[in-house]
Amino acid sequence: MFKKKTWLAVLAALALVVLAACGGEESGDSDDTEKEEAPSSITLGSASQGGTYYIYAGGLASIFDEKLDVPTNVEVTGGPVHNMQMVQSGDLTMGLATLGPAYEGYTGEGEWTNGEKLDDVRIAFPMYTTPIIWWSPEGSGIESIEDVKGQRIGVGPSGGTSGTYLPIIHEALELDTDDVQAGASDMTSQMLDGQLDVIGFAAGTPIAAVTELEAQRDLNIFSLTEEQREQVFDMYPYFTEHTVSADAYDSLDEDLETIAMFNFGIVNKSMNSDFVYEMVKTYHESQEELMNTHSAAKEAVEEAILINEEVPLHKGAIKYYEEQGIDLPDSVYPPEYDEE
């Protein structure tokens, strides 16, 4: 009896080994990138309060909460540079980024990357244009970019588009500015308290910090000269021409020509492809709701995904845009796309 039970146990163990081996063969045939399950919650990296990112992210969170049934928490960050770093590391589920930091981070070419390639980041969807403008209180004596020379100027938070690129632009144009890095709300308070006479900032139009200031005092809003804009384009090809409409701010009497970058939603390449597909689909189907959050969302059309030609898209996003008949350039297909 003892020997019979022993052999039965051995046979049962062998059967389990065979079943496990078969199961191992099946799992080995699956795509490793698809083992990542859909997120049960989203941490969405925005930027400082008072900027367009923070408002736009709030609209995204409401849509994802309601339509994807995924709790979404908006996290205040330094902006695109920090969002790129934290999406790469997995500290953020999703982030918002302008094309400059997205390109410089992915390739490792930005000085702020210290040569590290953030090449696990993928673009998911297009957003809107971020122009850079400068403003000062009327009566400050600062009415043009030439008046900024030698001034103490708020440039936005470290890690943001303006906080990263404005100091570089100021130095390249030999404006000899004393650049102060702070969030939009903090800079607004400092200007109201007389601690800052001029602010330069990159955000979607209208910038909440500007409209808040306009309600309390008259402002001078200005930009770079045509010659200075050409200098910037030569240095940074991901900047583009942009016109801020005169009706965007009460302080503008005419359209303002300036420089700008386009914005995108970013995720890690490991995010579940089916989830990214549904997220991008929901995003575009909810454009009108986003426009109620911020008017900049009028630019969030499907064709805007073509503005980026360098940073790879997520596989789930590629599936959606291909279904919409959009002819994506070969350069945005990521290495893992061919591994399916």
Side-chain angles (χ1 to χ4, degrees), residues 99-135:
L99 187 55
Y103 172 78
E104 288 191 341
Y106 179 76
T107 60
E109 292 182 8
E111 291 183 13
W112 54 272
T113 68
N114 294 317
E116 178 189 358
K117 293 184 178 181
L118 308 180
D119 51 9
D120 287 343
V121 177
R122 300 289 180 264
I123 283 178
F125 52 80
M127 292 165 51
Y128 57 83
T129 304
T130 284
I132 297 180
I133 62 173
W134 289 255
W135 64 89

PDB file of all heavy atoms in Angstrom, residues 99-135:
ATOM      1  N   LEU A  99       7.012  69.535 -27.526  1.00  0.00           N
ATOM      2  CA  LEU A  99       7.807  68.739 -28.451  1.00  0.00           C
ATOM      3  C   LEU A  99       9.308  68.870 -28.213  1.00  0.00           C
ATOM      4  O   LEU A  99      10.050  67.902 -28.376  1.00  0.00           O
ATOM      5  CB  LEU A  99       7.462  69.124 -29.896  1.00  0.00           C
ATOM      6  CG  LEU A  99       8.099  68.266 -31.001  1.00  0.00           C
ATOM      7  CD1 LEU A  99       7.782  66.793 -30.791  1.00  0.00           C
ATOM      8  CD2 LEU A  99       7.622  68.730 -32.371  1.00  0.00           C
ATOM      9  N   GLY A 100       9.759  70.062 -27.805  1.00  0.00           N
ATOM     10  CA  GLY A 100      11.192  70.256 -27.562  1.00  0.00           C
ATOM     11  C   GLY A 100      11.733  69.309 -26.501  1.00  0.00           C
ATOM     12  O   GLY A 100      12.652  68.528 -26.761  1.00  0.00           O
ATOM     13  N   PRO A 101      11.195  69.358 -25.269  1.00  0.00           N
ATOM     14  CA  PRO A 101      11.650  68.416 -24.242  1.00  0.00           C
ATOM     15  C   PRO A 101      11.407  66.960 -24.612  1.00  0.00           C
ATOM     16  O   PRO A 101      12.205  66.087 -24.247  1.00  0.00           O
ATOM     17  CB  PRO A 101      10.818  68.822 -23.015  1.00  0.00           C
ATOM     18  CG  PRO A 101      10.514  70.257 -23.230  1.00  0.00           C
ATOM     19  CD  PRO A 101      10.313  70.398 -24.715  1.00  0.00           C
ATOM     20  N   ALA A 102      10.310  66.679 -25.337  1.00  0.00           N
ATOM     21  CA  ALA A 102      10.047  65.293 -25.748  1.00  0.00           C
ATOM     22  C   ALA A 102      11.160  64.794 -26.668  1.00  0.00           C
ATOM     23  O   ALA A 102      11.685  63.690 -26.486  1.00  0.00           O
ATOM     24  CB  ALA A 102       8.689  65.196 -26.449  1.00  0.00           C
ATOM     25  N   TYR A 103      11.539  65.623 -27.633  1.00  0.00           N
ATOM     26  CA  TYR A 103      12.594  65.238 -28.573  1.00  0.00           C
ATOM     27  C   TYR A 103      13.948  65.172 -27.871  1.00  0.00           C
ATOM     28  O   TYR A 103      14.688  64.184 -28.006  1.00  0.00           O
ATOM     29  CB  TYR A 103      12.653  66.220 -29.737  1.00  0.00           C
ATOM     30  CG  TYR A 103      13.835  65.989 -30.650  1.00  0.00           C
ATOM     31  CD1 TYR A 103      13.812  64.963 -31.589  1.00  0.00           C
ATOM     32  CD2 TYR A 103      14.980  66.779 -30.554  1.00  0.00           C
ATOM     33  CE1 TYR A 103      14.900  64.730 -32.416  1.00  0.00           C
ATOM     34  CE2 TYR A 103      16.070  66.556 -31.374  1.00  0.00           C
ATOM     35  CZ  TYR A 103      16.023  65.533 -32.306  1.00  0.00           C
ATOM     36  OH  TYR A 103      17.110  65.301 -33.112  1.00  0.00           O
ATOM     37  N   GLU A 104      14.277  66.223 -27.105  1.00  0.00           N
ATOM     38  CA  GLU A 104      15.580  66.253 -26.443  1.00  0.00           C
ATOM     39  C   GLU A 104      15.707  65.145 -25.400  1.00  0.00           C
ATOM     40  O   GLU A 104      16.785  64.592 -25.200  1.00  0.00           O
ATOM     41  CB  GLU A 104      15.792  67.617 -25.779  1.00  0.00           C
ATOM     42  CG  GLU A 104      16.042  68.732 -26.769  1.00  0.00           C
ATOM     43  CD  GLU A 104      16.519  70.000 -26.092  1.00  0.00           C
ATOM     44  OE1 GLU A 104      16.324  70.157 -24.877  1.00  0.00           O
ATOM     45  OE2 GLU A 104      17.095  70.843 -26.782  1.00  0.00           O
ATOM     46  N   GLY A 105      14.594  64.810 -24.737  1.00  0.00           N
ATOM     47  CA  GLY A 105      14.632  63.737 -23.753  1.00  0.00           C
ATOM     48  C   GLY A 105      14.780  62.381 -24.410  1.00  0.00           C
ATOM     49  O   GLY A 105      15.609  61.563 -23.991  1.00  0.00           O
ATOM     50  N   TYR A 106      13.997  62.138 -25.455  1.00  0.00           N
ATOM     51  CA  TYR A 106      14.042  60.832 -26.124  1.00  0.00           C
ATOM     52  C   TYR A 106      15.429  60.565 -26.717  1.00  0.00           C
ATOM     53  O   TYR A 106      15.950  59.454 -26.627  1.00  0.00           O
ATOM     54  CB  TYR A 106      12.987  60.762 -27.223  1.00  0.00           C
ATOM     55  CG  TYR A 106      12.996  59.448 -27.965  1.00  0.00           C
ATOM     56  CD1 TYR A 106      12.459  58.296 -27.396  1.00  0.00           C
ATOM     57  CD2 TYR A 106      13.574  59.343 -29.231  1.00  0.00           C
ATOM     58  CE1 TYR A 106      12.506  57.073 -28.048  1.00  0.00           C
ATOM     59  CE2 TYR A 106      13.616  58.130 -29.896  1.00  0.00           C
ATOM     60  CZ  TYR A 106      13.076  56.994 -29.309  1.00  0.00           C
ATOM     61  OH  TYR A 106      13.129  55.794 -29.963  1.00  0.00           O
ATOM     62  N   THR A 107      16.031  61.580 -27.318  1.00  0.00           N
ATOM     63  CA  THR A 107      17.337  61.411 -27.961  1.00  0.00           C
ATOM     64  C   THR A 107      18.497  61.597 -27.000  1.00  0.00           C
ATOM     65  O   THR A 107      19.631  61.237 -27.323  1.00  0.00           O
ATOM     66  CB  THR A 107      17.503  62.422 -29.109  1.00  0.00           C
ATOM     67  OG1 THR A 107      17.409  63.764 -28.581  1.00  0.00           O
ATOM     68  CG2 THR A 107      16.422  62.219 -30.176  1.00  0.00           C
ATOM     69  N   GLY A 108      18.228  62.191 -25.824  1.00  0.00           N
ATOM     70  CA  GLY A 108      19.303  62.477 -24.878  1.00  0.00           C
ATOM     71  C   GLY A 108      20.137  63.669 -25.278  1.00  0.00           C
ATOM     72  O   GLY A 108      21.236  63.878 -24.743  1.00  0.00           O
ATOM     73  N   GLU A 109      19.632  64.502 -26.195  1.00  0.00           N
ATOM     74  CA  GLU A 109      20.408  65.633 -26.698  1.00  0.00           C
ATOM     75  C   GLU A 109      20.279  66.889 -25.845  1.00  0.00           C
ATOM     76  O   GLU A 109      21.087  67.805 -25.964  1.00  0.00           O
ATOM     77  CB  GLU A 109      19.991  65.952 -28.145  1.00  0.00           C
ATOM     78  CG  GLU A 109      20.379  64.865 -29.140  1.00  0.00           C
ATOM     79  CD  GLU A 109      20.010  65.220 -30.570  1.00  0.00           C
ATOM     80  OE1 GLU A 109      19.583  66.378 -30.791  1.00  0.00           O
ATOM     81  OE2 GLU A 109      20.140  64.366 -31.456  1.00  0.00           O
ATOM     82  N   GLY A 110      19.249  66.956 -25.011  1.00  0.00           N
ATOM     83  CA  GLY A 110      19.088  68.139 -24.172  1.00  0.00           C
ATOM     84  C   GLY A 110      20.135  68.188 -23.069  1.00  0.00           C
ATOM     85  O   GLY A 110      20.490  67.164 -22.482  1.00  0.00           O
ATOM     86  N   GLU A 111      20.638  69.383 -22.774  1.00  0.00           N
ATOM     87  CA  GLU A 111      21.640  69.523 -21.713  1.00  0.00           C
ATOM     88  C   GLU A 111      21.105  68.982 -20.391  1.00  0.00           C
ATOM     89  O   GLU A 111      21.853  68.428 -19.588  1.00  0.00           O
ATOM     90  CB  GLU A 111      22.044  70.996 -21.570  1.00  0.00           C
ATOM     91  CG  GLU A 111      22.851  71.538 -22.752  1.00  0.00           C
ATOM     92  CD  GLU A 111      23.281  72.971 -22.530  1.00  0.00           C
ATOM     93  OE1 GLU A 111      23.164  73.445 -21.373  1.00  0.00           O
ATOM     94  OE2 GLU A 111      23.735  73.625 -23.486  1.00  0.00           O
ATOM     95  N   TRP A 112      19.797  69.146 -20.182  1.00  0.00           N
ATOM     96  CA  TRP A 112      19.181  68.734 -18.924  1.00  0.00           C
ATOM     97  C   TRP A 112      19.142  67.210 -18.760  1.00  0.00           C
ATOM     98  O   TRP A 112      18.920  66.703 -17.664  1.00  0.00           O
ATOM     99  CB  TRP A 112      17.766  69.298 -18.823  1.00  0.00           C
ATOM    100  CG  TRP A 112      16.883  68.961 -20.002  1.00  0.00           C
ATOM    101  CD1 TRP A 112      16.755  69.674 -21.154  1.00  0.00           C
ATOM    102  CD2 TRP A 112      16.030  67.814 -20.142  1.00  0.00           C
ATOM    103  NE1 TRP A 112      15.870  69.051 -22.011  1.00  0.00           N
ATOM    104  CE2 TRP A 112      15.402  67.917 -21.409  1.00  0.00           C
ATOM    105  CE3 TRP A 112      15.713  66.728 -19.327  1.00  0.00           C
ATOM    106  CZ2 TRP A 112      14.498  66.964 -21.879  1.00  0.00           C
ATOM    107  CZ3 TRP A 112      14.814  65.780 -19.784  1.00  0.00           C
ATOM    108  CH2 TRP A 112      14.210  65.908 -21.041  1.00  0.00           C
ATOM    109  N   THR A 113      19.381  66.455 -19.832  1.00  0.00           N
ATOM    110  CA  THR A 113      19.350  64.985 -19.747  1.00  0.00           C
ATOM    111  C   THR A 113      20.671  64.392 -19.271  1.00  0.00           C
ATOM    112  O   THR A 113      20.719  63.212 -18.912  1.00  0.00           O
ATOM    113  CB  THR A 113      19.032  64.365 -21.115  1.00  0.00           C
ATOM    114  OG1 THR A 113      20.134  64.591 -22.014  1.00  0.00           O
ATOM    115  CG2 THR A 113      17.754  64.945 -21.714  1.00  0.00           C
ATOM    116  N   ASN A 114      21.742  65.208 -19.296  1.00  0.00           N
ATOM    117  CA  ASN A 114      23.086  64.708 -18.976  1.00  0.00           C
ATOM    118  C   ASN A 114      23.450  63.491 -19.816  1.00  0.00           C
ATOM    119  O   ASN A 114      24.142  62.564 -19.352  1.00  0.00           O
ATOM    120  CB  ASN A 114      23.190  64.370 -17.484  1.00  0.00           C
ATOM    121  CG  ASN A 114      23.074  65.585 -16.597  1.00  0.00           C
ATOM    122  OD1 ASN A 114      23.650  66.635 -16.875  1.00  0.00           O
ATOM    123  ND2 ASN A 114      22.304  65.468 -15.528  1.00  0.00           N
ATOM    124  N   GLY A 115      22.954  63.479 -21.059  1.00  0.00           N
ATOM    125  CA  GLY A 115      23.279  62.402 -21.986  1.00  0.00           C
ATOM    126  C   GLY A 115      22.431  61.158 -21.843  1.00  0.00           C
ATOM    127  O   GLY A 115      22.582  60.207 -22.616  1.00  0.00           O
ATOM    128  N   GLU A 116      21.518  61.144 -20.880  1.00  0.00           N
ATOM    129  CA  GLU A 116      20.663  59.966 -20.680  1.00  0.00           C
ATOM    130  C   GLU A 116      19.481  60.018 -21.649  1.00  0.00           C
ATOM    131  O   GLU A 116      18.779  61.022 -21.737  1.00  0.00           O
ATOM    132  CB  GLU A 116      20.121  59.920 -19.249  1.00  0.00           C
ATOM    133  CG  GLU A 116      19.179  58.749 -19.001  1.00  0.00           C
ATOM    134  CD  GLU A 116      18.471  58.822 -17.670  1.00  0.00           C
ATOM    135  OE1 GLU A 116      18.746  59.772 -16.914  1.00  0.00           O
ATOM    136  OE2 GLU A 116      17.637  57.938 -17.396  1.00  0.00           O
ATOM    137  N   LYS A 117      19.255  58.930 -22.370  1.00  0.00           N
ATOM    138  CA  LYS A 117      18.124  58.852 -23.288  1.00  0.00           C
ATOM    139  C   LYS A 117      16.876  58.372 -22.549  1.00  0.00           C
ATOM    140  O   LYS A 117      16.892  57.301 -21.933  1.00  0.00           O
ATOM    141  CB  LYS A 117      18.434  57.894 -24.445  1.00  0.00           C
ATOM    142  CG  LYS A 117      19.520  58.379 -25.379  1.00  0.00           C
ATOM    143  CD  LYS A 117      19.705  57.416 -26.547  1.00  0.00           C
ATOM    144  CE  LYS A 117      20.771  57.923 -27.515  1.00  0.00           C
ATOM    145  NZ  LYS A 117      20.933  56.998 -28.672  1.00  0.00           N
ATOM    146  N   LEU A 118      15.825  59.160 -22.620  1.00  0.00           N
ATOM    147  CA  LEU A 118      14.547  58.773 -22.012  1.00  0.00           C
ATOM    148  C   LEU A 118      13.738  58.044 -23.082  1.00  0.00           C
ATOM    149  O   LEU A 118      12.660  58.473 -23.494  1.00  0.00           O
ATOM    150  CB  LEU A 118      13.816  60.013 -21.493  1.00  0.00           C
ATOM    151  CG  LEU A 118      14.649  60.927 -20.566  1.00  0.00           C
ATOM    152  CD1 LEU A 118      13.816  62.115 -20.112  1.00  0.00           C
ATOM    153  CD2 LEU A 118      15.180  60.156 -19.363  1.00  0.00           C
ATOM    154  N   ASP A 119      14.291  56.921 -23.544  1.00  0.00           N
ATOM    155  CA  ASP A 119      13.761  56.273 -24.743  1.00  0.00           C
ATOM    156  C   ASP A 119      12.676  55.235 -24.470  1.00  0.00           C
ATOM    157  O   ASP A 119      12.304  54.470 -25.354  1.00  0.00           O
ATOM    158  CB  ASP A 119      14.885  55.652 -25.572  1.00  0.00           C
ATOM    159  CG  ASP A 119      15.805  54.756 -24.758  1.00  0.00           C
ATOM    160  OD1 ASP A 119      15.480  54.483 -23.591  1.00  0.00           O
ATOM    161  OD2 ASP A 119      16.841  54.326 -25.299  1.00  0.00           O
ATOM    162  N   ASP A 120      12.133  55.234 -23.230  1.00  0.00           N
ATOM    163  CA  ASP A 120      10.949  54.421 -22.955  1.00  0.00           C
ATOM    164  C   ASP A 120       9.675  55.255 -23.050  1.00  0.00           C
ATOM    165  O   ASP A 120       8.573  54.730 -22.872  1.00  0.00           O
ATOM    166  CB  ASP A 120      11.034  53.794 -21.553  1.00  0.00           C
ATOM    167  CG  ASP A 120      12.053  52.666 -21.488  1.00  0.00           C
ATOM    168  OD1 ASP A 120      12.442  52.156 -22.556  1.00  0.00           O
ATOM    169  OD2 ASP A 120      12.461  52.306 -20.370  1.00  0.00           O
ATOM    170  N   VAL A 121       9.826  56.551 -23.305  1.00  0.00           N
ATOM    171  CA  VAL A 121       8.674  57.447 -23.406  1.00  0.00           C
ATOM    172  C   VAL A 121       8.078  57.357 -24.812  1.00  0.00           C
ATOM    173  O   VAL A 121       8.806  57.320 -25.807  1.00  0.00           O
ATOM    174  CB  VAL A 121       9.064  58.903 -23.092  1.00  0.00           C
ATOM    175  CG1 VAL A 121       7.881  59.839 -23.271  1.00  0.00           C
ATOM    176  CG2 VAL A 121       9.607  59.004 -21.663  1.00  0.00           C
ATOM    177  N   ARG A 122       6.741  57.343 -24.882  1.00  0.00           N
ATOM    178  CA  ARG A 122       6.031  57.301 -26.155  1.00  0.00           C
ATOM    179  C   ARG A 122       4.940  58.383 -26.175  1.00  0.00           C
ATOM    180  O   ARG A 122       4.314  58.661 -25.149  1.00  0.00           O
ATOM    181  CB  ARG A 122       5.380  55.930 -26.372  1.00  0.00           C
ATOM    182  CG  ARG A 122       6.364  54.762 -26.404  1.00  0.00           C
ATOM    183  CD  ARG A 122       7.204  54.773 -27.664  1.00  0.00           C
ATOM    184  NE  ARG A 122       8.141  53.653 -27.697  1.00  0.00           N
ATOM    185  CZ  ARG A 122       9.407  53.715 -27.308  1.00  0.00           C
ATOM    186  NH1 ARG A 122       9.899  54.861 -26.831  1.00  0.00           N
ATOM    187  NH2 ARG A 122      10.195  52.664 -27.387  1.00  0.00           N
ATOM    188  N   ILE A 123       4.716  58.956 -27.345  1.00  0.00           N
ATOM    189  CA  ILE A 123       3.643  59.931 -27.514  1.00  0.00           C
ATOM    190  C   ILE A 123       2.324  59.200 -27.701  1.00  0.00           C
ATOM    191  O   ILE A 123       2.259  58.188 -28.399  1.00  0.00           O
ATOM    192  CB  ILE A 123       3.942  60.867 -28.691  1.00  0.00           C
ATOM    193  CG1 ILE A 123       4.990  61.914 -28.262  1.00  0.00           C
ATOM    194  CG2 ILE A 123       2.681  61.554 -29.205  1.00  0.00           C
ATOM    195  CD1 ILE A 123       5.409  62.868 -29.333  1.00  0.00           C
ATOM    196  N   ALA A 124       1.264  59.725 -27.048  1.00  0.00           N
ATOM    197  CA  ALA A 124      -0.053  59.096 -27.134  1.00  0.00           C
ATOM    198  C   ALA A 124      -1.045  59.933 -27.942  1.00  0.00           C
ATOM    199  O   ALA A 124      -1.796  59.388 -28.761  1.00  0.00           O
ATOM    200  CB  ALA A 124      -0.605  58.844 -25.735  1.00  0.00           C
ATOM    201  N   PHE A 125      -1.073  61.253 -27.727  1.00  0.00           N
ATOM    202  CA  PHE A 125      -2.061  62.090 -28.427  1.00  0.00           C
ATOM    203  C   PHE A 125      -1.586  63.548 -28.492  1.00  0.00           C
ATOM    204  O   PHE A 125      -0.770  63.975 -27.672  1.00  0.00           O
ATOM    205  CB  PHE A 125      -3.434  62.017 -27.732  1.00  0.00           C
ATOM    206  CG  PHE A 125      -3.391  62.288 -26.247  1.00  0.00           C
ATOM    207  CD1 PHE A 125      -3.322  63.588 -25.751  1.00  0.00           C
ATOM    208  CD2 PHE A 125      -3.434  61.242 -25.336  1.00  0.00           C
ATOM    209  CE1 PHE A 125      -3.303  63.841 -24.395  1.00  0.00           C
ATOM    210  CE2 PHE A 125      -3.407  61.480 -23.970  1.00  0.00           C
ATOM    211  CZ  PHE A 125      -3.346  62.783 -23.492  1.00  0.00           C
ATOM    212  N   PRO A 126      -2.089  64.312 -29.474  1.00  0.00           N
ATOM    213  CA  PRO A 126      -1.724  65.722 -29.611  1.00  0.00           C
ATOM    214  C   PRO A 126      -2.627  66.610 -28.759  1.00  0.00           C
ATOM    215  O   PRO A 126      -3.765  66.246 -28.461  1.00  0.00           O
ATOM    216  CB  PRO A 126      -1.945  65.985 -31.100  1.00  0.00           C
ATOM    217  CG  PRO A 126      -3.105  65.098 -31.447  1.00  0.00           C
ATOM    218  CD  PRO A 126      -2.945  63.860 -30.589  1.00  0.00           C
ATOM    219  N   MET A 127      -2.126  67.811 -28.406  1.00  0.00           N
ATOM    220  CA  MET A 127      -2.913  68.703 -27.553  1.00  0.00           C
ATOM    221  C   MET A 127      -3.133  70.075 -28.205  1.00  0.00           C
ATOM    222  O   MET A 127      -4.138  70.302 -28.854  1.00  0.00           O
ATOM    223  CB  MET A 127      -2.236  68.837 -26.192  1.00  0.00           C
ATOM    224  CG  MET A 127      -2.277  67.538 -25.383  1.00  0.00           C
ATOM    225  SD  MET A 127      -1.135  67.480 -23.976  1.00  0.00           S
ATOM    226  CE  MET A 127      -1.487  68.986 -23.106  1.00  0.00           C
ATOM    227  N   TYR A 128      -2.165  70.967 -28.049  1.00  0.00           N
ATOM    228  CA  TYR A 128      -2.350  72.341 -28.534  1.00  0.00           C
ATOM    229  C   TYR A 128      -0.989  73.033 -28.603  1.00  0.00           C
ATOM    230  O   TYR A 128       0.021  72.496 -28.163  1.00  0.00           O
ATOM    231  CB  TYR A 128      -3.287  73.127 -27.597  1.00  0.00           C
ATOM    232  CG  TYR A 128      -2.804  73.152 -26.163  1.00  0.00           C
ATOM    233  CD1 TYR A 128      -1.851  74.075 -25.731  1.00  0.00           C
ATOM    234  CD2 TYR A 128      -3.273  72.231 -25.225  1.00  0.00           C
ATOM    235  CE1 TYR A 128      -1.385  74.088 -24.442  1.00  0.00           C
ATOM    236  CE2 TYR A 128      -2.816  72.230 -23.912  1.00  0.00           C
ATOM    237  CZ  TYR A 128      -1.880  73.162 -23.532  1.00  0.00           C
ATOM    238  OH  TYR A 128      -1.407  73.176 -22.250  1.00  0.00           O
ATOM    239  N   THR A 129      -0.993  74.231 -29.135  1.00  0.00           N
ATOM    240  CA  THR A 129       0.231  75.019 -29.273  1.00  0.00           C
ATOM    241  C   THR A 129       0.520  75.800 -27.998  1.00  0.00           C
ATOM    242  O   THR A 129      -0.386  76.392 -27.403  1.00  0.00           O
ATOM    243  CB  THR A 129       0.109  76.000 -30.454  1.00  0.00           C
ATOM    244  OG1 THR A 129      -0.211  75.276 -31.639  1.00  0.00           O
ATOM    245  CG2 THR A 129       1.408  76.751 -30.667  1.00  0.00           C
ATOM    246  N   THR A 130       1.772  75.813 -27.600  1.00  0.00           N
ATOM    247  CA  THR A 130       2.223  76.606 -26.453  1.00  0.00           C
ATOM    248  C   THR A 130       3.106  77.751 -26.934  1.00  0.00           C
ATOM    249  O   THR A 130       4.275  77.535 -27.279  1.00  0.00           O
ATOM    250  CB  THR A 130       3.025  75.741 -25.463  1.00  0.00           C
ATOM    251  OG1 THR A 130       2.127  74.916 -24.722  1.00  0.00           O
ATOM    252  CG2 THR A 130       3.800  76.590 -24.474  1.00  0.00           C
ATOM    253  N   PRO A 131       2.563  78.967 -27.000  1.00  0.00           N
ATOM    254  CA  PRO A 131       3.403  80.121 -27.343  1.00  0.00           C
ATOM    255  C   PRO A 131       4.109  80.676 -26.109  1.00  0.00           C
ATOM    256  O   PRO A 131       3.656  80.461 -24.978  1.00  0.00           O
ATOM    257  CB  PRO A 131       2.387  81.135 -27.879  1.00  0.00           C
ATOM    258  CG  PRO A 131       1.117  80.807 -27.171  1.00  0.00           C
ATOM    259  CD  PRO A 131       1.142  79.321 -26.891  1.00  0.00           C
ATOM    260  N   ILE A 132       5.207  81.366 -26.324  1.00  0.00           N
ATOM    261  CA  ILE A 132       5.894  82.077 -25.240  1.00  0.00           C
ATOM    262  C   ILE A 132       5.604  83.561 -25.387  1.00  0.00           C
ATOM    263  O   ILE A 132       5.761  84.130 -26.471  1.00  0.00           O
ATOM    264  CB  ILE A 132       7.415  81.842 -25.279  1.00  0.00           C
ATOM    265  CG1 ILE A 132       7.737  80.353 -25.064  1.00  0.00           C
ATOM    266  CG2 ILE A 132       8.117  82.677 -24.208  1.00  0.00           C
ATOM    267  CD1 ILE A 132       9.220  80.033 -25.082  1.00  0.00           C
ATOM    268  N   ILE A 133       5.156  84.168 -24.306  1.00  0.00           N
ATOM    269  CA  ILE A 133       4.947  85.617 -24.299  1.00  0.00           C
ATOM    270  C   ILE A 133       5.586  86.204 -23.041  1.00  0.00           C
ATOM    271  O   ILE A 133       5.879  85.488 -22.083  1.00  0.00           O
ATOM    272  CB  ILE A 133       3.447  86.004 -24.352  1.00  0.00           C
ATOM    273  CG1 ILE A 133       2.705  85.467 -23.106  1.00  0.00           C
ATOM    274  CG2 ILE A 133       2.810  85.486 -25.635  1.00  0.00           C
ATOM    275  CD1 ILE A 133       1.260  85.955 -23.007  1.00  0.00           C
ATOM    276  N   TRP A 134       5.818  87.498 -23.072  1.00  0.00           N
ATOM    277  CA  TRP A 134       6.358  88.233 -21.932  1.00  0.00           C
ATOM    278  C   TRP A 134       5.353  89.309 -21.548  1.00  0.00           C
ATOM    279  O   TRP A 134       4.668  89.863 -22.422  1.00  0.00           O
ATOM    280  CB  TRP A 134       7.682  88.899 -22.306  1.00  0.00           C
ATOM    281  CG  TRP A 134       8.854  87.974 -22.493  1.00  0.00           C
ATOM    282  CD1 TRP A 134       9.894  87.791 -21.624  1.00  0.00           C
ATOM    283  CD2 TRP A 134       9.138  87.121 -23.617  1.00  0.00           C
ATOM    284  NE1 TRP A 134      10.799  86.877 -22.121  1.00  0.00           N
ATOM    285  CE2 TRP A 134      10.368  86.450 -23.352  1.00  0.00           C
ATOM    286  CE3 TRP A 134       8.482  86.861 -24.822  1.00  0.00           C
ATOM    287  CZ2 TRP A 134      10.940  85.556 -24.233  1.00  0.00           C
ATOM    288  CZ3 TRP A 134       9.050  85.956 -25.706  1.00  0.00           C
ATOM    289  CH2 TRP A 134      10.264  85.309 -25.408  1.00  0.00           C
ATOM    290  N   TRP A 135       5.248  89.616 -20.250  1.00  0.00           N
ATOM    291  CA  TRP A 135       4.347  90.692 -19.845  1.00  0.00           C
ATOM    292  C   TRP A 135       4.871  91.419 -18.608  1.00  0.00           C
ATOM    293  O   TRP A 135       5.655  90.867 -17.829  1.00  0.00           O
ATOM    294  CB  TRP A 135       2.933  90.176 -19.595  1.00  0.00           C
ATOM    295  CG  TRP A 135       2.762  89.207 -18.458  1.00  0.00           C
ATOM    296  CD1 TRP A 135       2.501  89.497 -17.140  1.00  0.00           C
ATOM    297  CD2 TRP A 135       2.830  87.776 -18.525  1.00  0.00           C
ATOM    298  NE1 TRP A 135       2.401  88.357 -16.397  1.00  0.00           N
ATOM    299  CE2 TRP A 135       2.588  87.275 -17.216  1.00  0.00           C
ATOM    300  CE3 TRP A 135       3.052  86.858 -19.560  1.00  0.00           C
ATOM    301  CZ2 TRP A 135       2.578  85.915 -16.926  1.00  0.00           C
ATOM    302  CZ3 TRP A 135       3.041  85.511 -19.272  1.00  0.00           C
ATOM    303  CH2 TRP A 135       2.808  85.044 -17.965  1.00  0.00           C
TER     304      TRP A 135
END
